[in-house]
Amino acid sequence: MEKTNSPVQELNEELFRSKDLRLFIKRDDMIHPFVSGNKWRKLKYILEDARKQGKTELVTFGGAYSNHLLATACAGAMHGFTTKGIVRGEEEKELNDTLFLCKLFGMGLIYVSREAYREKDILVSAYTAASSYYIPEGGASSLAVKGCAELTDELDENFTHVFVAAGTATTLSGIARGMAAKYPSCKVEGIASLKASDYLEKQVEKFAPGLSNWKIHHGFTQGYAKADPALLNWVAAFTARTGILLDPVYTGPAMHAIYVLAGQDYFVPKSRILMIHTGGLLGMLGYREYFF
Ligand SMILES: *Cc1c(COP(=O)(O)O)cnc(C)c1O
């Protein structure tokens, strides 16, 4: 995939001005409308590897609102791969905007029950052939970490904190590695998207071993597909104020957490905070009934 260099913009928000803080956002959501944000970075070396191995089909997994499925469908179509997506759920219930777009990009969708979905090995052997390249759910792999680490090459100044949403913490691991090499004084802080125990910490220890420049905040999210009306209203107000769309699972909770932490004086004056907008712009489309 071609190089990217998404812009860094400053947000001029009263809360941060009043506390002598500066808040910036790296617009990875602007990389591509459907291969958005961290999914573009994660797929970059995965697609290169698939091509090197002479594979012609990409096979992967996702829930019905998976940004990873959509990114794989679109990137596959752009780069000459056929794609197959194994979806958790039933077809009648789940033809939402994300899956409809996957279909338009030519992805073959296979719906499986929640129980069957857990048995990844069985599904992989049932739905892959010699020409298939299997991408783990969410694109969590060391090739994805390598792609995400490149985000830091695009920064031309240091920040005191970089914040990013953490679903599998693959993106966080890459950024932690990139920052440790380039700006070791910067703290890389993940906002957990799932209510999970120490899964995310274990992932970072695996993908970014030996680093201590990162931490993960828990308790800022309700988990997948559980709408928190206060958060949805906060996201809508942020979007109306700034012109930047966030989603209710990843970027919304991550941005909201920065505001909560600033309100609690977590940051010392003069801190320069960078939030990574990891994309996922379709996220709010699943929540229209909360607003209209
Ligand atoms: C997939 C996704 C994430 C989670 O990334 P991980 O590398 O799994 O932590 C964060 N934000 C958005 C918008 C996503 O689509």
Side-chain angles (χ1 to χ4, degrees):
M1 293 204 251
E2 57 298 334
K3 250 182 106 60
T4 178
N5 200 346
S6 72
V8 172
Q9 302 167 340
E10 181 159 13
L11 290 175
N12 198 353
E13 291 269 82
E14 171 55 29
L15 170 66
F16 294 83
R17 265 202 313 276
S18 72
K19 295 190 179 278
D20 196 15
L21 304 171
R22 293 182 68 188
L23 175 62
F24 301 82
I25 181 167
K26 183 158 173 62
R27 299 293 306 274
D28 271 11
D29 56 313
M30 291 168 70
I31 294 177
H32 186 278
F34 304 110
V35 194
S36 178
N38 63 346
K39 300 305 184 285
W40 188 96
R41 298 187 186 281
K42 286 169 128 180
L43 285 171
K44 181 176 174 186
Y45 290 106
I46 289 175
L47 294 196
E48 192 183 285
D49 189 41
R51 175 162 306 136
K52 267 195 218 141
Q53 292 186 30
K55 306 290 188 183
T56 56
E57 178 185 62
L58 308 174
V59 179
T60 195
F61 289 92
Y65 290 91
S66 168
N67 298 320
H68 165 70
L69 276 186
L70 177 57
T72 304
C74 180
M78 284 194 292
H79 293 91
F81 296 95
T82 59
T83 57
K84 209 182 268 167
I86 302 170
V87 186
R88 184 181 53 225
E90 292 159 38
E91 180 159 16
E92 316 78 71
K93 283 201 215 130
E94 308 286 14
L95 193 63
N96 58 37
D97 296 310
T98 302
L99 295 179
F100 171 62
L101 286 167
C102 287
K103 282 196 165 196
L104 279 181
F105 288 121
M107 180 174 257
L109 298 179
I110 297 147
Y111 295 85
V112 300
S113 69
R114 272 161 202 282
E115 299 71 54
Y117 190 83
R118 280 189 217 111
E119 307 296 328
K120 299 278 187 307
D121 294 345
I122 296 175
L123 292 168
V124 171
S125 58
Y127 292 109
T128 58
S131 59
S132 315
Y133 188 92
Y134 165 59
I135 307 174
E137 185 177 28
S141 73
S142 51
L143 288 172
V145 174
K146 182 180 168 193
C148 292
E150 288 182 351
L151 179 150
T152 58
D153 298 344
E154 297 165 21
L155 301 179
D156 46 24
E157 52 188 335
N158 198 3
F159 295 89
T160 53
H161 308 261
V162 172
F163 276 79
V164 66
T168 62
T170 311
T171 307
L172 173 92
S173 301
I175 294 172
R177 273 166 54 168
M179 289 310 265
K182 190 171 177 184
Y183 295 120
S185 67
C186 175
K187 290 192 195 70
V188 180
E189 311 202 20
I191 302 300
S193 310
L194 273 173
K195 281 188 183 166
S197 48
D198 58 353
Y199 159 74
L200 292 173
E201 283 81 359
K202 291 215 172 91
Q203 287 281 103
V204 187
E205 278 154 20
K206 179 172 105 186
F207 285 134
L211 296 182
S212 54
N213 62 339
W214 58 274
K215 73 177 277 181
I216 293 173
H217 298 264
H218 296 270
F220 280 106
T221 174
Q222 305 296 311
Y224 290 112
K226 285 203 200 88
D228 169 0
L231 177 72
L232 289 172
N233 288 328
W234 189 88
V235 166
F238 176 89
T239 297
R241 224 169 42 237
T242 61
I244 298 171
L245 198 53
L246 304 174
D247 76 87
V249 175
Y250 299 110
T251 56
M255 186 62 95
H256 182 234
I258 298 171
Y259 283 64
V260 171
L261 291 168
Q264 296 169 348
D265 292 324
Y266 177 80
F267 305 106
V268 299
K270 310 269 182 238
S271 291
R272 295 163 50 81
I273 304 146
L274 177 68
M275 190 270 191
I276 310 299
H277 194 314
T278 41
L281 297 179
L282 297 190
M284 282 302 266
L285 298 184
Y287 294 87
R288 338 175 194 233
E289 70 275 19
Y290 281 89
F291 297 98
F292 303 107

